[in-house]
Amino acid sequence: MVSEGMERVIELLKKQEEEAIKKRVKDSRAAMVMLGKMDKIDEDVSIIDVDVNGIPAVWISVPDVEVNNVVLYFHGGGYFEGTINTHKGLAARICRASKSRVLLPAYRLAPENCYPAALEDGVKAYRWLIEKEGLSPENIVIGGDSAGGGLTAATLVKLRDTGIALPAAAFLLSPWTDLDVTGESMRTKKKEDPFIKIDSVFWMAALYCKDEDPRNPYISPLYADLKGLPPLLIQVGSAELLLDDSTRFAEKAKKAGVDVTLEIWEDMIHVFQAFALWAPEGQQGIDKIGEFIKSKT
Amino acid sequence: MKKKKISVGMRSMIKVLRADHEAETKKRVAEGRAALEKMASKTIIPDDVIFEEIDIDGMSALWVTTPESQLNKIILYLHGGGYVQGSLKTHRDLCQRISKASNARTLYIDYGIAPENPFPAGLNDSVKAYQWLISHQEIKPGNIVIAGDSAGGGLTLATLLKLRDSNIPLPVAAVCLSPWTDLTLSGESYHTKAKEDPFITFDGLAFDARLYIGDEDPKNPYISPIYGDFTGLPPLCIQVGSAEILLDDSRIVAEKAKKAGVDVTIDIWEHMIHVFQAFAIIATEGQKGIERIGEFIRKYLK
């Protein structure tokens, strides 16, 4: 039994905590949008709004794409931020490098929509490509960065488990595959990584998982059985907290018989490909993604 | 050091990202501090309490005196706030209530906090204040109790360890309210109590720990006294709520101290939250906790 006064205190503290989360989410999203605005998109890129069974999305295209080859791209942002506008520059560069059209959906985000909302949207977008757009799985590649990389892997596992034909290949850029945050690089890389901090990773994990076990394989594909997955390309920087999320995932996939290419980019940071406008390493990474996609579709 | 082979563009991008991150951290720290001060500003302090601002070799402090205070019976108080928040504004009510219940005078110090002053600044400040009481104020260790809440409770234990290791005579007893004793955040209650605890979060503590520890080993017992050897420590009174993620930080310390031969009293308050004593103004349990602290301190400050 708790006194009436203490009940009021607890209520007040809970409300304060909820408001603090809301504010932090809002501020962080706004900051990411600002960062996204710094990027430039070439004039020949066409970006067309499309409704994917209720999920807002865009088709990104350049003049010389192979119309039948499609990349389904999941943006990053810790499952709580990121949207079409923050990632259309990166998606457009991947479109050009791979000569494939890119579908960039604004899948639902936490804390408003926790797991499994993002995964449901990921699967829905893939099925829409096949069922509504009439594409064949061998012409589709799924990819994503950070949380979107984790979502890519989780979507593959979900598709396999549901008996849906898998895409031709997938690429993961600095994927977040372990929401239980157990990688050693979480500690060993803390000085090198300029902007991802372990407490923020805990925070984002708690928002997305809510009451779910972070080791649920559809949340943390690191803990999934990876048998039967299509060829994977993983790119990660050596200077990031999330390095082990890639190295451990690649190892597990290899053991499960998956054709995995792991590229560890020396001294590169989390999703360095997003900085292609300013840094040549970003474009080099994207060029390799393009080659990979073209070789699989 | 090996020069990194990265482009000028990426180098400047990293600089921008690092600066952005630092600005965000600063903002978050400032907001957290302001929120705690705002919460504290809502308490009403009785007119018969006197706060006297003093300077202890460059550190600000308050003497908290109530009509009940015996002037030579001293509580050295270390406030909470995750080693990042808390000031001479935030814990006045708690200090005056503990002073009253204990018939003692409280020295409430503004020890250095992170990120401006990471470990060992706070520890050095608390040791300095204790030594100042003995050498400058000529108070006998037998007339001093060290007390603190949350991070201040952890700092209380770290101070005892440091005093013992430096062969400085120990205070007669110590009191810890919901002490934060494990900055590696390893207790099970960090996860099992997460839904119950309305006040503090695992990631919030991880943020505080990161700012306070810097490059030090979080298992350093002066940072996380849970990893210390408690042999020779004075009697301890620990109060903690059953509804807080820091429950195991208290439990494990009490167990370890008992094994080391320390006279430990641990009170686990059913359904109570982190530092529930701070809400004494509206919650009866808070005042009850404070009365019990008073009884404990009066037993030693005779």
Side-chain angles (χ1 to χ4, degrees):
Chain A
M1 280 302 286
V2 172
S3 71
E4 241 175 75
M6 189 52 79
E7 256 172 33
R8 269 166 51 209
V9 169
I10 291 171
E11 213 170 281
L12 183 83
L13 290 169
K14 274 188 181 159
K15 219 172 101 192
Q16 268 180 10
E17 177 62 22
E18 273 165 30
E19 271 161 25
I21 288 173
K22 264 189 205 160
K23 185 176 184 304
R24 191 166 162 198
V25 166
K26 196 177 142 211
D27 289 354
S28 189
R29 284 176 181 168
M32 199 181 205
V33 168
M34 288 298 286
L35 198 70
K37 276 186 183 159
M38 289 164 55
D39 205 355
K40 282 198 186 78
I41 292 171
D42 292 335
E43 281 183 9
D44 64 346
V45 175
S46 99
I47 300 177
I48 295 163
D49 288 336
V50 55
D51 178 282
V52 177
N53 273 350
I55 308 166
V58 289
W59 271 121
I60 296 177
S61 186
V62 292
D64 63 341
V65 291
E66 303 277 346
V67 188
N68 281 327
N69 290 348
V70 166
V71 170
L72 171 59
Y73 193 80
F74 299 135
H75 67 74
Y79 292 106
F80 83 96
E81 63 181 348
T83 181
I84 290 166
N85 278 332
T86 58
H87 282 70
K88 61 187 180 192
L90 177 58
R93 288 189 184 88
I94 291 170
C95 164
R96 192 183 302 282
S98 63
K99 293 192 188 300
S100 305
R101 286 191 297 151
V102 176
L103 181 70
L104 176 62
Y107 60 86
R108 286 170 293 164
L109 299 173
E112 297 86 352
N113 297 285
C114 304
Y115 171 84
L119 181 65
E120 285 170 1
D121 289 354
V123 170
K124 200 197 237 183
Y126 180 73
R127 295 186 66 158
W128 179 86
L129 286 173
I130 294 169
E131 290 160 15
K132 292 274 150 70
E133 296 291 289
L135 292 158
S136 35
E138 58 265 30
N139 288 332
I140 303 174
V141 170
I142 307 185
D145 62 278
S146 195
L151 183 56
T152 299
T155 302
L156 295 176
V157 172
K158 186 74 182 175
L159 292 173
R160 180 203 60 194
D161 294 350
T162 323
I164 299 169
L166 292 170
F171 61 98
L172 320 175
L173 317 183
S174 305
W176 187 22
T177 64
D178 178 13
L179 275 73
D180 206 24
V181 198
T182 64
E184 260 183 50
S185 55
M186 285 288 157
R187 278 155 196 93
T188 56
K189 297 290 181 181
K190 71 175 183 184
K191 282 191 84 170
E192 262 179 89
D193 194 312
F195 70 113
I196 309 275
K197 301 294 159 185
I198 191 167
D199 45 283
S200 306
V201 182
F202 290 138
W203 183 72
M204 295 183 284
L207 288 188
Y208 182 57
C209 294
K210 211 180 173 195
D211 298 326
E212 291 286 332
D213 182 356
R215 293 203 184 206
N216 175 338
Y218 298 130
I219 288 176
S220 297
L222 179 64
Y223 304 104
D225 170 12
L226 304 175
K227 225 180 294 158
L229 261 49
L232 301 176
L233 169 68
I234 304 175
Q235 289 185 345
V236 66
S238 76
E240 52 171 313
L241 230 57
L242 285 172
L243 174 59
D244 288 1
D245 278 46
S246 282
T247 54
R248 290 179 299 161
F249 184 80
E251 209 175 292
K252 263 200 87 170
K254 233 168 239 170
K255 273 192 188 146
V258 180
D259 172 7
V260 187
T261 311
L262 171 67
E263 293 177 4
I264 300 174
W265 288 62
E266 205 56 40
D267 298 325
M268 282 300 108
I269 58 171
H270 189 58
V271 197
F272 60 94
Q273 304 85 348
F275 307 110
L277 181 64
W278 305 275
E281 295 93 335
Q283 190 56 48
Q284 285 157 20
I286 289 166
D287 290 343
K288 288 202 139 173
I289 297 165
E291 281 163 33
F292 172 79
I293 295 170
K294 282 188 282 184
S295 75
K296 303 295 175 194
T297 49
Chain B
M1 210 179 106
K2 166 187 115 193
K3 191 150 191 243
K4 292 183 174 183
K5 278 191 210 147
I6 58 180
S7 69
V8 176
M10 187 55 81
R11 203 179 296 273
S12 60
M13 211 58 227
I14 290 173
K15 225 183 239 174
V16 168
L17 289 166
R18 212 178 271 280
D20 270 4
H21 169 75
E22 271 159 27
E24 195 200 304
T25 300
K26 254 191 199 161
K27 187 168 162 261
R28 196 169 152 201
V29 166
E31 283 171 359
R33 287 176 182 170
L36 189 62
E37 297 210 343
K38 193 180 159 201
M39 201 155 84
S41 72
K42 286 176 184 158
T43 55
I44 299 152
I45 293 180
D47 294 337
D48 60 4
V49 182
I50 300 163
F51 295 97
E52 183 199 346
E53 269 208 68
I54 58 162
D55 175 273
I56 302 176
D57 297 332
M59 169 173 57
S60 303
L62 285 178
W63 272 122
V64 183
T65 314
T66 71
E68 292 83 353
S69 302
Q70 292 175 270
L71 295 185
N72 64 336
K73 308 292 181 196
I74 307 298
I75 298 165
L76 170 59
Y77 196 81
L78 307 171
H79 68 74
Y83 295 107
V84 169
Q85 307 173 355
S87 69
L88 293 184
K89 286 180 188 160
T90 53
H91 287 65
R92 290 188 182 211
D93 189 51
L94 196 52
C95 281
Q96 67 92 5
R97 281 172 194 272
I98 293 173
S99 294
K100 265 191 185 160
S102 315
N103 299 337
R105 208 155 52 113
T106 294
L107 182 67
Y108 167 23
I109 64 167
D110 190 22
Y111 64 84
I113 51 177
E116 299 87 345
N117 298 289
F119 175 83
L123 181 62
N124 289 343
D125 284 346
S126 66
V127 169
K128 181 168 93 175
Y130 181 76
Q131 288 185 302
W132 178 85
L133 282 171
I134 293 170
S135 59
H136 193 274
Q137 300 288 298
E138 295 174 353
I139 310 280
K140 292 192 186 91
N143 283 328
I144 304 174
V145 167
I146 304 184
D149 66 278
S150 194
L155 187 54
T156 296
L157 293 168
T159 303
L160 295 177
L161 296 178
K162 184 74 183 179
L163 292 174
R164 181 203 59 195
D165 296 347
S166 316
N167 293 314
I168 299 168
L170 292 169
V172 67
V175 178
C176 302
L177 317 182
S178 305
W180 186 23
T181 65
D182 180 8
L183 277 73
T184 71
L185 315 179
S186 69
E188 269 181 36
S189 56
Y190 282 100
H191 306 287
T192 56
K193 298 287 180 180
K195 294 279 173 261
E196 248 179 282
D197 193 319
F199 201 176
I200 48 175
T201 60
F202 183 78
D203 69 273
L205 289 173
F207 175 76
D208 293 340
R210 171 162 64 80
L211 298 186
Y212 180 58
I213 297 170
D215 299 328
E216 301 282 336
D217 179 1
K219 290 197 176 180
N220 177 341
Y222 297 141
I223 289 173
S224 296
I226 201 166
Y227 300 106
D229 168 12
F230 295 100
T231 310
L233 260 48
L236 295 178
C237 167
I238 302 174
Q239 287 186 348
V240 66
S242 75
E244 51 172 315
I245 62 174
L246 289 178
L247 177 57
D248 286 354
D249 278 45
S250 282
R251 266 195 200 147
I252 294 166
V253 160
E255 250 167 58
K256 280 192 75 172
K258 239 169 238 171
K259 272 191 193 147
V262 179
D263 176 4
V264 187
T265 312
I266 175 164
D267 287 333
I268 299 174
W269 289 62
E270 210 53 41
H271 304 306
M272 282 301 106
I273 60 169
H274 189 59
V275 199
F276 58 95
Q277 305 86 348
F279 306 102
I281 191 164
I282 65 165
T284 50
E285 296 93 335
Q287 189 55 36
K288 275 185 205 150
I290 286 165
E291 302 297 343
R292 295 274 282 272
I293 294 165
E295 277 166 37
F296 175 84
I297 293 178
R298 277 184 275 125
K299 206 163 75 186
Y300 292 98
L301 291 184
K302 283 187 285 223

